């Protein structure tokens, strides 16, 4: 019996969500898997939200991405922010469940395959230093590190700085969300050369209106990034 087998005898694998017994580490039990809305099939090429209709090689866009000009090129998301997916995101974000970053980043790496480019630089959306001090970790940076590992791409966790506290976006409408994030991000001088002429994969945990991704993308483009594509663990999707 190998070391892994011995460890499983002592610490049997448990479901990431409910701690029920499972076959392998970092997995979900059958019940939690059914309650976790993974995004599959036809999706919006701009933000990753699921779309009705059969999957197609032609580029499809949701109503939001046809209405709101996105500064980034392409986007994907792994989960719909609902049900058990919402529980997992909140556990990672506020519940000190840093162990969730490993499986989540592997799921995200698979979702990102259609938008990956050779030599991409993986960059997380940053927290303001005061919030980072209180929370002790940036969940987007944990995810981006795992994605870089899974895809073999270069990782730059400090390519962006959030230069002022922006508070929570909860309860704000679309216009207020975008106004709140205006000029909130900057590429530090020490990282401009890492960003310049690079294709960027910008990573965050949740996408709602796209305001955070838009502000961060604009900062990267202003510092000379060749292109930006975005990747979220979960996408808030409209009903219907």
């Amino acid at each position: 019996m190998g070391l892994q087998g011995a460890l499983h005898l002592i610490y049997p694998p448990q479901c990431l969500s409910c701690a029920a017994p499972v076959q392998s580490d970092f997995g979900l039990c059958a019940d939690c898997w059914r309650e976790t809305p993974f995004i599959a099939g036809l999706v919006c090429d701009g933000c990753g939200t699921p779309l009705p209709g059969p999957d197609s090689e032609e580029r499809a866009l949701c109503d939001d991405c046809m209405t709101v000009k996105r500064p980034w090129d392409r986007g994907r998301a792994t989960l719909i922010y609902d049900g058990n997916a919402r529980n997992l995101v909140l556990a990672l974000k506020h519940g000190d469940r840093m162990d969730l970053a490993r499986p989540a980043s592997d799921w995200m790496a698979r979702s990102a395959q259609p938008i990956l480019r050779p030599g991409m630089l993986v960059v997380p959306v940053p927290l303001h230093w005061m919030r980072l001090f209180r929370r002790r970790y940036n969940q987007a940076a944990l995810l981006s590190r795992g994605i870089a590992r899974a895809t073999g791409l270069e990782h730059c966790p400090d390519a962006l700085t959030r230069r002022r506290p922006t508070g929570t976006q909860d309860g704000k409408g679309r216009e207020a969300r975008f106004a709140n994030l205006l000029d909130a991000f900057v590429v530090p001088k020490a990282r401009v050369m890492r960003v310049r002429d690079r294709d960027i994969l910008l990573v965050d945990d949740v996408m709602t209106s796209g305001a955070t991704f838009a502000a961060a993308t604009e900062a990267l483009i202003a510092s000379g990034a060749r292109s930006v594509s975005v990747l979220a663990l979960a996408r808030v999707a409209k009903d219907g």
Side-chain angles (χ1 to χ4, degrees):
M1 180 184 296
L3 177 60
Q4 189 70 26
L7 287 174
H8 281 176
L9 285 177
I10 303 171
Y11 305 106
Q14 294 181 325
C15 173
L16 289 168
S17 182
C18 71
V22 292
Q23 294 297 315
S24 60
D25 293 321
F26 306 108
L28 294 169
C29 69
D31 289 341
C32 288
W33 184 272
R34 284 192 296 270
E35 295 171 4
T36 305
F38 284 86
I39 294 174
L42 182 65
V43 300
C44 172
D45 196 53
C47 69
T49 198
L51 297 174
D55 201 356
S56 170
E57 293 184 1
E58 295 184 5
R59 188 171 195 249
L61 294 175
C62 68
D63 290 343
D64 282 353
C65 287
M66 286 190 289
T67 304
V68 180
K69 182 174 176 56
R70 307 293 196 187
W72 64 83
D73 286 0
R74 306 178 73 188
R76 288 295 186 275
T78 300
L79 306 167
I80 298 172
Y81 189 65
D82 194 15
N84 196 50
R86 184 176 184 274
N87 296 336
L88 291 172
V89 171
L90 292 177
L92 171 62
K93 191 168 186 172
H94 300 297
D96 288 336
R97 287 291 308 278
M98 290 181 281
D99 59 299
L100 294 173
R102 176 174 172 178
S105 60
D106 287 341
W107 300 337
M108 294 172 74
R110 288 193 289 270
S111 300
Q113 287 301 316
I115 64 173
L116 295 183
R117 298 181 183 181
M120 262 184 158
L121 183 67
V122 185
V123 172
V125 170
L127 296 175
H128 187 262
W129 70 265
M130 289 191 296
R131 179 169 289 187
L132 181 61
F133 180 79
R134 291 193 300 268
R135 189 175 292 173
R136 297 178 292 107
Y137 63 93
N138 176 9
Q139 69 280 358
L142 296 179
L143 294 170
S144 63
R145 181 178 65 188
I147 292 161
R149 181 202 70 240
T151 57
L153 296 173
E154 185 182 348
H155 185 221
C156 189
D158 56 353
L160 282 169
T161 297
R162 192 181 295 242
R163 53 186 174 186
R164 58 180 173 81
T166 53
T168 180
Q169 294 279 72
D170 293 346
K172 291 183 172 69
R174 178 185 292 276
E175 291 185 4
R177 284 173 176 265
F178 278 84
N180 187 44
L181 273 298
L182 186 64
D183 296 326
F185 301 101
V186 66
V187 176
K189 290 182 180 179
R191 291 292 176 260
V192 169
M193 295 308 296
R194 293 280 300 276
V195 166
R196 185 170 294 167
D197 296 324
R198 298 291 296 273
D199 296 314
I200 308 293
L201 182 66
L202 183 61
V203 175
D204 204 2
D205 56 346
V206 180
M207 178 179 176
T208 304
S209 65
T212 302
F213 273 138
T217 295
E218 287 165 355
L220 291 164
I221 296 297
S223 292
R226 181 165 49 209
S227 74
V228 178
S229 293
V230 302
L231 176 63
L233 172 58
R235 177 75 168 98
V236 176
K238 292 182 177 180
D239 295 336

